[in-house]
Amino acid sequence: MAPNGKLNLNDDQLFALMKLRRNVADVCTQSYHDDQFLLRWLRARNFDPAAAEKMLRDSFKWREEWGVDALEEWQAPAVFDRYFPSGLSGYDKEGSPVVVLPFAGMDIWGMLHTVTKTDIIKATARQLERFLAEGRKQAKIHGPQAAQLVGVIDMTDFNLRQYAWRPAGELVVSMLQMYEANYPEILKACFIVNVPKVFALAFSIVKNFLNDITLSKIQIYKTDPNKWKPVLLNQIPAEHLPRHFGGDLVDPDGDPKCPSKINQGGKIPKSMYVRKSDRLASEGKESYCIVTVKKGEKLRLNYLAAEEGSQLKWGFYSDGHDIKFGVSSRDEEGKETMLVPIHRVACHQTEETGTLTCPAPATLYTVIFDNSYSYLRNKKVHYSISVIPPGDPEDDTAEE
């Protein structure tokens, strides 16, 4: 997009925009469903108007099913008002809303014992809708470039164990998929700061669910503020950036994290838990995923063990024919070790099960289904794989 807000498109892109505008006129009825809105979907699909139309129509269907346009009337559980971390600190130098997320303030364990996965996804969608509405207001004043969001994610005190817990991992994947499918091209830039070393393992899994355009807008910085504070101030005026991140913004009481603007979240007290462990386990009970491993190819599934003594558990079977199976690990230094050598398994005759104790914390485990030896047949595999931290975290007595 040109700085003056005019469309900076070649002839093929203009034709794709014209075609998409015509084809979706029946569903794009809001005033903000303009060319800038349509371009988000075209860019997400490399200016293929048919693919962009399908993506957009699928998103409209999702919005209807989830009641997204009525989320402001949704009576959300009270826990979100106090413990759902995020907030708007101000605007960047082009007028785009600046969204701050104190990531460690998300008590995912407590949330999933207090509300449902559906509630959390709805709360996330509601927050995104609010930020986008603010972006549309800013765009009317500053131009279309202000409609996109700038994110600042603070990874201070990041708790890896929470996200190695299977229900939490599944929730993260669901939210990433929701974001990519329904909110394309809303991100201008994202700065992830105060990143601990172990975050690299978690991000190696997360990035598989983000497209290349989104990934290109993410900048990751470790704990040295001298490296990331100048970068933030280059994007965001000091008066719109909390002092905690190197700006001048503070709360009336001088708090540099600005909790009056940015909900800091925090650990949810057990007195707010409303769901028993057996209901939690029932809702998130392991079911067998089904995947087809194509002939001549391998499937790699990554799992993160946050703590020493965790267990990687698996069970799988295939339809009609055998397949090769193995497990490898990769530590923080990137060293890879083969723990279960790849070998041929007659899992079409009986289910293959196993358990592996994870000897070191912060290790990424890769389960491999290998069909590279078959040049004739695809293999359909049914599998259930999970990482169980020591102490059985699905027990109500377990602590983080």
Side-chain angles (χ1 to χ4, degrees):
M1 187 187 305
N4 60 8
K6 293 183 179 180
L7 302 179
N8 187 15
L9 306 175
N10 61 37
D11 289 344
D12 289 340
Q13 292 170 338
L14 283 170
F15 178 77
L17 175 59
M18 179 182 67
K19 185 175 181 180
L20 179 62
R21 186 194 308 125
R22 181 181 65 243
N23 290 350
V24 299
D26 59 314
V27 292
C28 290
T29 58
Q30 299 295 322
S31 60
Y32 64 86
H33 292 159
D34 54 13
D35 285 349
Q36 304 295 345
F37 173 82
L38 296 177
L39 280 170
R40 287 171 42 199
W41 308 86
L42 280 169
R43 291 190 177 105
R45 289 296 179 263
N46 297 315
F47 280 87
D48 180 337
E53 179 183 356
K54 182 180 185 307
M55 184 185 186
L56 180 55
R57 288 186 180 277
D58 287 345
S59 181
F60 275 121
K61 183 178 179 181
W62 170 82
R63 295 179 71 89
E64 183 178 0
E65 291 174 348
W66 284 75
V68 173
D69 293 321
L71 284 177
E72 285 301 328
E73 288 74 47
W74 172 51
Q75 295 298 313
V79 69
F80 291 115
D81 291 335
R82 174 64 183 86
Y83 295 101
F84 195 70
S86 68
L88 186 66
S89 71
Y91 309 95
D92 81 345
K93 293 180 179 180
E94 293 184 324
S96 295
V98 176
V99 178
V100 178
L101 172 60
F103 199 85
M106 173 59 85
D107 178 10
I108 198 71
W109 167 271
M111 278 288 181
L112 284 170
H113 279 75
T114 307
V115 296
T116 66
K117 175 181 172 181
T118 296
D119 287 334
I120 299 174
I121 292 175
K122 289 174 70 173
T124 302
R126 184 178 65 174
Q127 201 73 316
L128 284 171
E129 292 292 321
R130 288 173 175 174
F131 295 144
L132 287 176
E134 186 65 25
R136 289 193 292 270
K137 291 179 183 178
Q138 290 295 103
K140 292 178 181 179
I141 302 170
H142 301 282
Q145 74 281 354
Q148 289 183 301
L149 307 177
V150 174
V152 179
I153 302 178
D154 185 4
M155 301 302 297
T156 301
D157 298 326
F158 171 59
N159 182 351
L160 181 61
R161 177 179 177 181
Q162 287 199 83
Y163 296 91
W165 179 43
R166 177 180 47 77
E170 290 173 351
L171 173 63
V172 170
V173 170
S174 295
M175 289 200 292
L176 290 172
Q177 291 173 331
M178 179 268 289
Y179 172 84
E180 287 289 350
N182 301 287
Y183 297 97
E185 283 295 283
I186 68 169
L187 186 67
K188 177 191 285 187
C190 180
F191 305 95
I192 307 178
V193 301
N194 289 321
V195 171
K197 190 175 183 181
V198 71
F199 176 76
L201 288 173
F203 192 70
S204 68
I205 298 176
V206 167
K207 68 181 183 182
N208 293 323
F209 299 94
L210 299 173
N211 65 40
D212 291 340
I213 297 175
T214 301
L215 288 171
S216 70
K217 298 177 181 180
I218 297 175
Q219 300 180 44
I220 299 175
Y221 296 92
K222 295 180 181 179
T223 54
D224 184 358
N226 294 321
K227 292 187 176 179
W228 53 260
K229 283 185 177 180
V231 176
L232 293 184
L233 288 168
N234 186 56
Q235 179 87 32
I236 306 165
E239 63 268 24
H240 291 276
L241 184 67
R243 185 174 292 170
H244 177 69
F245 298 109
D248 296 333
L249 188 65
V250 295
D251 260 4
D253 64 357
D255 192 321
K257 293 185 177 181
C258 303
S260 67
K261 287 177 169 285
I262 302 159
N263 191 337
Q264 299 295 307
K267 188 172 178 62
I268 300 171
K270 287 188 176 181
S271 60
M272 297 187 71
Y273 290 7
V274 296
R275 303 176 64 228
K276 300 295 184 182
S277 62
D278 56 348
R279 282 190 64 194
L280 180 66
S282 176
E283 180 182 79
K285 188 176 181 180
E286 292 176 5
S287 58
Y288 278 75
C289 299
I290 302 175
V291 66
T292 297
V293 186
K294 294 183 179 181
K295 56 188 177 183
E297 295 186 3
K298 297 179 182 180
L299 173 67
R300 297 175 178 270
L301 303 171
N302 293 323
Y303 298 87
L304 188 62
E307 291 186 279
E308 181 179 351
S310 298
Q311 288 190 322
L312 178 70
K313 301 179 68 174
W314 63 83
F316 64 91
Y317 62 92
S318 58
D319 294 345
H321 302 278
D322 63 10
I323 197 166
K324 288 184 177 180
F325 170 81
V327 181
S328 66
S329 67
R330 189 169 76 245
D331 61 19
E332 293 180 349
E333 306 299 329
K335 180 182 178 181
E336 189 165 2
T337 303
M338 206 70 204
L339 302 175
V340 178
I342 294 177
H343 62 290
R344 208 156 174 168
V345 179
C347 54
H348 61 303
Q349 298 175 346
T350 183
E351 181 180 4
E352 180 77 6
T353 61
T355 301
L356 178 68
T357 299
C358 307
T363 302
L364 187 69
Y365 291 84
T366 301
V367 174
I368 305 163
F369 292 110
D370 184 353
N371 196 31
S372 60
Y373 64 95
S374 177
Y375 295 97
L376 299 176
R377 297 185 180 90
N378 297 333
K379 306 290 176 61
K380 181 178 286 188
V381 178
H382 307 247
Y383 70 89
S384 174
I385 304 171
S386 60
V387 175
I388 308 299
D392 188 3
E394 294 187 2
D395 189 331
D396 275 342
T397 62
E399 295 290 340
E400 295 161 34

